């Protein structure tokens, strides 16, 4: 009897364990079903998103691509939604924005900024500025970079006539050869800082007419390729019509038939100075100058003169306070080529034979003392 009771207790315990295991299994199955339902819901959402992406596909995607994808199982795509962030610039200090913007530096970059946002390119109604933020940055850049002499060559700011952005652009291109005289000289690839000879044995010149030097000290460098080239200074003559000289040799020195045309351009700004054009000859280093009245234009030796070789860099320093034109060769000072200068001048260069090339650029005045050539 005792054994029967023990057997019954064992069976009862085993039955209880089995019931507990079944209950646990049922809970597990229920949890799996719940997770399966969630996965099915997520899959359905991804299918819906995928269908929406297909409907909104840009028109430039070829139709054949959509058909090809339709024949295959397309993997779910996770797309990040772009969020547009708006910054209220009126709450920021104008001086801070101006300082940051000043790092752009060039007139083209500032123009792009002005076109990007009206807060940069339009007049600031809540500001003490009487122009836009971009205009203020351009003004500061001009004043920080331009010398006093260069400021005299730039147009003056005037509402409706000259903007600070335009003045900055002009400062960046002060030393362009913007006027070509004679039929045998040209620019290439739109680069106006360099001129090329277009034919052998025919003289033509290029003038940096936009940079009129009236006072102070001015320095320019000329990168020379070729031998029959010459560079120098000439009076500004804005009324000279370049189209009148397209079929012939042209020069400011030595071709006397043009002298009456040049003198017809004379203005009061020329003053009483008698040196209207002065140039350096690369072939032998001589100088020549003229007043366009007596016809004087003989080539002359000058102290410390040297000839140049192709690919040399020549510098010219025009000091209108002292009335002198000083020559440098590869950053080495040669000496004063001409004195007695007064009134306004422009840089110019001339070429004569095929292969001649002259490039002009701004540079710092060399600080090296005169020395003998190596």
């Amino acid at each position: 009897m005792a054994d029967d009771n023990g057997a019954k207790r064992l069976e009862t315990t085993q039955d209880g364990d089995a019931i507990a295991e079944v209950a646990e299994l049922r809970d597990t199955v229920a949890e799996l079903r719940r997770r399966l339902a969630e996965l099915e819901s997520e899959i359905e959402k991804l299918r819906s998103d995928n269908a929406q992406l297909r409907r909104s596909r840009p028109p430039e995607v070829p139709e054949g691509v959509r058909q090809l994808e339709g024949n295959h199982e397309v993997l779910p795509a996770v797309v990040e939604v772009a969020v547009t962030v708006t910054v209220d610039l009126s709450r920021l200090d104008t001086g801070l924005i101006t300082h940051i913007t000043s790092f752009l530096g060039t007139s083209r970059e500032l123009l792009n900024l002005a076109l990007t946002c009206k807060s940069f390119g339009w007049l600031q109604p809540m500001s003490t500025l009487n122009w836009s933020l971009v205009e203020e940055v351009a003004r500061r850049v001009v004043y920080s970079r331009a010398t006093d002499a260069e400021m005299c060559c730039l147009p003056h700011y005037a509402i409706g006539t000259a903007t600070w952005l335009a003045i900055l652009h002009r400062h960046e291109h002060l030393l362009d050869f913007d006027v070509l005289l004679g039929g045998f000289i040209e620019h290439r690839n739109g680069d106006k800082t360099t001129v090329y000879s277009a034919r052998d044995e025919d003289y033509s010149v290029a003038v940096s007419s936009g940079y009129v030097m009236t006072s102070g000290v001015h320095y320019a460098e000329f990168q020379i390729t070729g031998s029959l080239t010459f560079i120098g200074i000439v009076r500004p003559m804005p009324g000279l019509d370049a189209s009148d000289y397209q079929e012939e040799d042209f020069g400011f020195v030595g071709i006397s038939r043009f002298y009456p045309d040049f003198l017809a351009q004379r203005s009061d700004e020329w003053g009483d100075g008698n040196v209207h054009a002065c140039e350096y000859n690369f072939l032998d280093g001589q100088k020549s100058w003229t007043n366009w009245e007596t016809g004087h234009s003989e080539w002359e030796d000058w102290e410390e003169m040297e000839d140049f070789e192709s690919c040399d860099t020549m510098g010219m320093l025009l000091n209108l306070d002292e009335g002198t034109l000083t020559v440098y060769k590869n950053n080495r000072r040669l000496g004063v080529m001409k004195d007695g200068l007064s009134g306004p001048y422009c840089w110019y260069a001339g070429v004569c034979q095929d292969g001649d090339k002259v490039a002009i650029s701004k540079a710092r005045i060399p600080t090296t003392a005169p020395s003998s050539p190596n």
Side-chain angles (χ1 to χ4, degrees), residues 276-304:
H276 298 328
C278 179
E279 66 184 32
Y280 174 96
N281 190 330
F282 273 72
L283 183 62
D284 52 22
Q286 290 184 318
K287 69 177 180 182
S288 184
W289 64 275
T290 179
N291 60 11
W292 295 332
E293 293 174 347
T294 63
H296 174 78
S297 59
E298 296 296 327
W299 290 105
E300 305 172 356
D301 291 344
W302 55 283
E303 189 176 357
E304 299 177 321

Side-chain angles (χ1 to χ4, degrees), residues 1-12:
M1 190 68 179
D3 292 337
D4 291 340
N5 289 335
K8 289 179 179 180
R9 285 196 297 271
L10 179 60
E11 290 175 358
T12 300

Side-chain angles (χ1 to χ4, degrees), residues 42 53 65 91 104 114 122 138 140 170 177 243 249 251 301 355:
E42 291 180 6
L53 288 172
V65 174
R91 302 181 63 181
L104 292 177
W122 287 15
R140 295 188 183 188
R170 183 73 196 97
F177 286 127
S243 64
D249 284 358
D301 291 344

Side-chain angles (χ1 to χ4, degrees), residues 8 25 36 38 57 98 105 108 129 145-146 151 176 211 246 261 267 299 354 360 362:
K8 289 179 179 180
L25 288 172
L36 180 60
E38 290 178 351
R57 185 182 300 276
T98 303
R108 181 173 294 276
L129 302 177
R145 296 179 182 176
M151 289 296 292
D176 282 348
Y211 184 49
Q246 293 302 305
D261 295 352
S267 65
W299 290 105
D354 190 31
I360 188 172
K362 294 173 60 177

Side-chain angles (χ1 to χ4, degrees), residues 201-220:
E201 304 303 327
D202 292 297
Y203 286 92
S204 295
V205 302
V207 184
S208 182
S209 68
Y211 184 49
V212 180
M213 301 170 284
T214 59
S215 62
V217 179
H218 305 263
Y219 183 77

Side-chain angles (χ1 to χ4, degrees), residues 87-241:
V87 178
D88 184 1
L89 293 176
S90 65
R91 302 181 63 181
L92 298 178
D93 180 74
T94 302
L96 175 62
I97 301 175
T98 303
H99 179 69
I100 295 173
T101 307
S102 67
F103 288 99
L104 292 177
T106 69
S107 59
R108 181 173 294 276
E109 290 172 335
L110 289 174
L111 175 61
N112 290 336
L113 180 64
L115 297 175
T116 299
C117 177
K118 66 180 183 181
S119 295
F120 298 127
W122 287 15
L123 181 68
Q124 301 293 305
M126 304 301 293
S127 171
T128 57
L129 302 177
N130 60 353
W131 43 64
S132 69
L133 184 142
V134 163
E135 280 285 274
E136 172 61 12
V137 172
R139 184 190 69 83
R140 295 188 183 188
V141 171
V142 170
Y143 273 97
S144 66
R145 296 179 182 176
T147 65
D148 292 341
E150 289 173 345
M151 289 296 292
C152 294
C153 302
L154 294 172
H156 296 289
Y157 173 81
I159 297 176
T161 303
T163 65
W164 282 111
L165 198 59
I167 295 172
L168 174 60
H169 178 76
R170 183 73 196 97
H171 178 257
E172 293 169 346
H173 299 85
L174 277 177
L175 293 185
D176 282 348
F177 286 127
D178 54 337
V179 173
L180 304 183
L181 296 161
F184 315 109
I185 192 170
E186 62 185 8
H187 299 122
R188 295 178 185 174
N189 303 318
D191 180 13
K192 291 188 176 183
T193 64
T194 306
V195 288
Y196 301 79
S197 176
R199 198 167 75 181
D200 275 345
E201 304 303 327
D202 292 297
Y203 286 92
S204 295
V205 302
V207 184
S208 182
S209 68
Y211 184 49
V212 180
M213 301 170 284
T214 59
S215 62
V217 179
H218 305 263
Y219 183 77
E221 283 190 346
F222 300 84
Q223 184 69 44
I224 310 298
T225 300
S227 58
L228 292 179
T229 55
F230 46 96
I231 62 175
I233 54 174
V234 66
R235 297 296 190 193
M237 295 179 284
L240 204 63
D241 190 350

Side-chain angles (χ1 to χ4, degrees), residues 324-336:
T324 58
L325 182 62
T326 304
V327 177
Y328 292 77
K329 177 180 179 181
N330 298 328
N331 292 323
R332 178 171 55 86
R333 183 180 183 275
L334 298 186
V336 174

